[in-house]
Amino acid sequence: MTPSAHHPRLALARPAQHPLADTVRKAGWRPVPYSFTCLKVTAGAPPLPLDEVRALLVLSPSGAKVAATALPSGMTCLVQGAGTADALGRDDLDVQLPSEARAEALWDLLQTRFPQGGDFILARGERSREYLEVAARDSVWRIHPWITHREAPREPFPPLPKVEGVLALSPLQAEILAPLAGDVQRFAWGEATAEAFAKAGAPAHAHCEPKPSLLWAMLAQHLKKEESPC
């Protein structure tokens, strides 16, 4: 087996020092940083005055960075993960994190922290999967989306590096990578991303829920299958 086959290269839209890059390495792949999308701010004013809502919900560091400058001191912020909390960059906010960095856990935290419900603003990207809005529908937790940013292809667009696989982290990334990937392995982070690959005519070879542990399992298992004799 050649060194390339032993450590196949995987294009990943994250820096080499990112935790997801570490996960890729632990699974036996060599991450190749490939920054082919960027985030563009889209936020106008929040959908409701901030002093009329019980808390701000934030799904990502990008949303946190956009929202941070508008938040009044002392406001309660329920954020999906530690990276999102750090991105707020404020010591005067009541920041709370769920048991794990998933929208499902954030929904559990919201219900526990505010059992009587109320109005809440959700800062999120343009194409987030809308789990919280769906979960809260027809409930006492009234969630008002605040679209803070969107993902877009970089200009000029960088060519795909020589790799044996690609990992799409969002539906937009899957749409972009589908015609570029050719016969390399296509992996999807989340069901919606896998669906985007399929709609673009290049179904993913495998997909996982957006959790690092499941990404490791998916990549390691796929590599093991590739290395198994016929």
Side-chain angles (χ1 to χ4, degrees), residues 93-165:
L93 301 172
D94 175 21
V95 180
Q96 300 184 26
L97 283 76
S99 57
E100 57 179 328
R102 303 183 68 204
E104 291 82 354
L106 190 61
W107 170 234
D108 291 340
L109 175 62
L110 175 64
Q111 296 173 88
T112 301
R113 180 66 176 77
F114 298 97
Q116 302 305 316
D119 289 292
F120 304 87
I121 289 178
L122 171 63
R124 67 169 177 83
E126 185 178 63
R127 296 181 63 173
S128 295
R129 64 189 179 111
E130 301 184 9
Y131 172 83
L132 291 173
E133 294 99 309
V134 173
R137 189 173 296 159
D138 299 322
S139 76
V140 296
W141 294 275
R142 296 179 295 276
I143 294 179
H144 307 272
W146 181 17
I147 308 304
T148 55
H149 60 282
R150 66 182 179 86
E151 189 177 21
R154 284 194 177 276
E155 297 179 0
F157 189 81
L160 180 68
K162 186 176 181 180
V163 292
E164 285 71 51

Side-chain angles (χ1 to χ4, degrees), residues 138-220:
D138 299 322
S139 76
V140 296
W141 294 275
R142 296 179 295 276
I143 294 179
H144 307 272
W146 181 17
I147 308 304
T148 55
H149 60 282
R150 66 182 179 86
E151 189 177 21
R154 284 194 177 276
E155 297 179 0
F157 189 81
L160 180 68
K162 186 176 181 180
V163 292
E164 285 71 51
V166 296
L167 173 63
L169 299 175
S170 69
L172 177 65
Q173 290 187 13
E175 292 169 8
I176 294 172
L177 289 171
L180 301 178
D183 57 359
V184 306
Q185 303 297 301
R186 297 177 295 277
F187 301 102
W189 174 262
E191 186 174 353
T193 303
E195 290 174 356
F197 263 130
K199 289 179 180 178
H205 293 86
H207 76 277
C208 67
E209 290 185 36
K211 297 180 67 174
S213 60
L214 297 181
L215 174 62
W216 174 88
M218 175 182 70
L219 293 177

